[in-house]
């Protein structure tokens, strides 16, 4: 199965949560009779209270034969560390910009981090049905932002789509007035690269974020950079430090993977095995911290 790992970047109220909710619906990932309030990404109580995204969420949809892992990034500079860790899991970013307001200061902050990491952007100008929408001007403002942030030639050549996320459609035509999200899904699959990983080497994964369960405790989340992992595998958790080979066994804590998950919609799906390139969650590991590396115990190579 092919993979695409992407992040979504947007300023507050530019329609990120609504667009992703529509993506879930058109990709058919909702459970039957699932309540609307369970379908949105901003599910943390503080996020609901403030109307913003604070914690990165890991989600996924299936489009034809491609699994698209979607990471919802925080939109505030206060969460810069979280943003950079999350961006290291992805190979493309969807930059969502309001058709009337254009790029905002918080858009600039997160976009700079993505461009600095060499990640390709895909721009979606949202809410083109607003009475004060100015999509062509916003198109130019986004390009000016990219130039100001010293984007590469490849990044400046980003494709643009025009959308009304609330109504669930996107188009390459700025004059369009309807449709569905197939153009967005198709562009994600055709434009963004598959993860550059080593599928055959010994297991290696950088912990990019954490979750918690009352049943299994801390859950480590990240993208598998090399090899594969199965439930019951013994893995080494390497202490924080410089990248490279870790020869001292005392810098590694060995434990077993008790549970393994991938993502579908907002759900974690329990699986027996996961392969390089996928974004996964593992339970049963002691001492997990963001930034630590999980490896095959016989090949202790730390990532940064």
């Amino acid at each position: 199965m092919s993979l695409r790992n992407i992040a979504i970047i947007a300023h507050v109220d530019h329609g990120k949560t609504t667009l992703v909710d529509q993506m879930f619906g058109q990709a058919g990932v909702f459970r039957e009779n699932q309540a609307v309030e369970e379908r949105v990404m901003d599910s943390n109580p503080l996020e609901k209270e403030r109307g913003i995204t604070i914690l990165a969420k890991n989600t996924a949809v299936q489009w034809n034969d491609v699994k698209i892992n979607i990471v919802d990034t925080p939109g505030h500079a206060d969460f810069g560390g979280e943003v950079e860790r999350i961006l290291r899991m992805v190979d493309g970013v969807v930059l969502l910009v309001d058709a009337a307001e254009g790029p905002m200061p918080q858009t600039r902050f997160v976009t700079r981090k993505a461009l600095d990491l060499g990640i390709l952007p895909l721009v979606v100008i949202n809410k083109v049905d607003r009475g004060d929408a100015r999509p062509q001007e916003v198109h130019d403002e986004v390009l000016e932002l990219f130039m100001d942030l010293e984007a590469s030639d490849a990044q400046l050549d980003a494709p643009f789509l025009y959308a009304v996320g609330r109504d669930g459609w996107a188009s390459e035509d700025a004059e369009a007035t309807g449709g569905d999200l197939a153009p967005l899904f198709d562009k994600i699959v055709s434009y963004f690269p598959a993860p550059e990983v080593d599928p055959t080497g010994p297991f290696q994964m950088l912990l990019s974020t954490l979750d918690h369960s009352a049943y299994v405790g801390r859950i480590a989340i990240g993208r598998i950079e090399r090899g594969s992992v199965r439930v019951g595998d013994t893995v080494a958790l390497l202490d924080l430090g410089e990248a490279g080979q870790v020869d001292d066994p005392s810098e590694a804590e060995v434990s077993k993977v008790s549970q393994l998950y991938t993502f579908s919609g907002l759900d974690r799906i329990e699986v027996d095995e996961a392969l390089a390139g996928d974004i996964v969650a593992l339970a049963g590991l002691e001492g997990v911290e963001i930034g630590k590396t999980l490896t095959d115990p016989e090949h202790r190579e730390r990532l940064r």
Side-chain angles (χ1 to χ4, degrees), residues 57 80 105 107 138 153 175 196:
K57 309 296 188 304
T107 310
V138 170
D153 289 344
E175 302 299 322
E196 292 187 10

Side-chain angles (χ1 to χ4, degrees), residues 208-228:
S208 296
T209 187
L210 298 176
D211 203 348
H212 183 272
S213 164
Y215 301 101
V216 297
R218 276 189 155 190
I219 298 173
I221 299 172
R223 184 176 76 174
I224 301 175
E225 300 295 331
R226 192 173 64 195
S228 62

Side-chain angles (χ1 to χ4, degrees), residues 33-85:
N33 299 323
Q34 186 174 3
V36 171
E37 59 268 20
E38 294 176 352
R39 296 181 177 187
V40 297
M41 299 186 76
D42 294 329
S43 54
N44 177 275
L46 183 58
E47 292 174 326
K48 290 181 178 179
E49 177 185 336
R50 296 175 60 185
I52 62 173
T53 299
I54 297 174
L55 304 173
K57 309 296 188 304
N58 300 278
T59 69
V61 299
Q62 186 83 20
W63 186 249
N64 297 325
D65 61 345
V66 180
K67 179 183 180 183
I68 304 172
N69 283 311
I70 304 170
V71 180
D72 184 27
T73 61
H76 283 251
D78 295 348
F79 309 103
E82 176 96 359
V83 169
E84 188 159 350
R85 289 192 299 268

Side-chain angles (χ1 to χ4, degrees), residues 8-269:
I8 297 187
I9 296 172
H11 186 77
V12 177
D13 293 332
H14 279 204
K16 174 173 56 178
T17 299
T18 301
L19 178 66
V20 173
D21 186 48
Q22 288 284 355
M23 292 174 71
F24 288 170
Q26 294 191 27
V29 299
F30 289 143
R31 298 187 300 273
E32 186 176 0
N33 299 323
Q34 186 174 3
V36 171
E37 59 268 20
E38 294 176 352
R39 296 181 177 187
V40 297
M41 299 186 76
D42 294 329
S43 54
N44 177 275
L46 183 58
E47 292 174 326
K48 290 181 178 179
E49 177 185 336
R50 296 175 60 185
I52 62 173
T53 299
I54 297 174
L55 304 173
K57 309 296 188 304
N58 300 278
T59 69
V61 299
Q62 186 83 20
W63 186 249
N64 297 325
D65 61 345
V66 180
K67 179 183 180 183
I68 304 172
N69 283 311
I70 304 170
V71 180
D72 184 27
T73 61
H76 283 251
D78 295 348
F79 309 103
E82 176 96 359
V83 169
E84 188 159 350
R85 289 192 299 268
I86 292 306
L87 289 175
R88 293 185 181 278
M89 287 197 295
V90 305
D91 304 290
V93 294
V94 175
L95 174 59
L96 189 68
V97 181
D98 187 287
E101 296 183 359
M104 303 293 282
Q106 289 156 6
T107 310
R108 181 187 184 94
F109 164 74
V110 186
T111 302
R112 179 191 294 277
K113 286 189 172 291
L115 296 179
D116 286 349
L117 290 169
I119 299 172
L120 292 175
L122 161 62
V123 182
V124 177
I125 298 179
N126 194 30
K127 304 185 183 181
V128 295
D129 61 335
R130 287 183 55 161
D132 54 351
R134 46 189 189 91
Q136 294 297 346
E137 292 177 44
V138 170
H139 175 285
D140 294 342
E141 289 173 5
V142 172
L143 288 179
E144 289 172 8
L145 172 65
F146 286 172
M147 289 186 285
D148 191 37
L149 297 178
E150 300 181 346
S152 68
D153 289 344
Q155 290 168 330
L156 285 170
D157 200 27
F160 280 72
L161 295 177
Y162 304 88
V164 178
R166 182 193 63 245
D167 295 340
W169 65 263
S171 173
E172 295 187 62
D173 180 5
E175 302 299 322
T177 57
D180 57 25
L181 290 176
L184 174 58
F185 285 119
D186 291 341
K187 189 63 70 173
I188 287 170
V189 170
S190 65
Y191 179 63
F192 292 133
E196 292 187 10
V197 292
D198 177 2
T200 61
F203 172 65
Q204 185 186 49
M205 170 180 158
L206 183 67
L207 303 189
S208 296
T209 187
L210 298 176
D211 203 348
H212 183 272
S213 164
Y215 301 101
V216 297
R218 276 189 155 190
I219 298 173
I221 299 172
R223 184 176 76 174
I224 301 175
E225 300 295 331
R226 192 173 64 195
S228 62
V229 63
R230 294 183 61 87
V231 173
D233 279 356
T234 300
V235 295
L237 181 66
L238 307 182
D239 290 343
L240 298 172
E242 295 300 317
Q245 193 67 31
V246 177
D247 296 322
D248 187 351
S250 68
E251 295 185 41
E253 185 173 350
V254 176
S255 55
K256 283 192 175 182
V257 177
S258 64
Q259 289 175 288
L260 178 63
Y261 307 90
T262 58
F263 298 91
S264 176
L266 287 170
D267 295 327
R268 285 196 298 260
I269 306 299

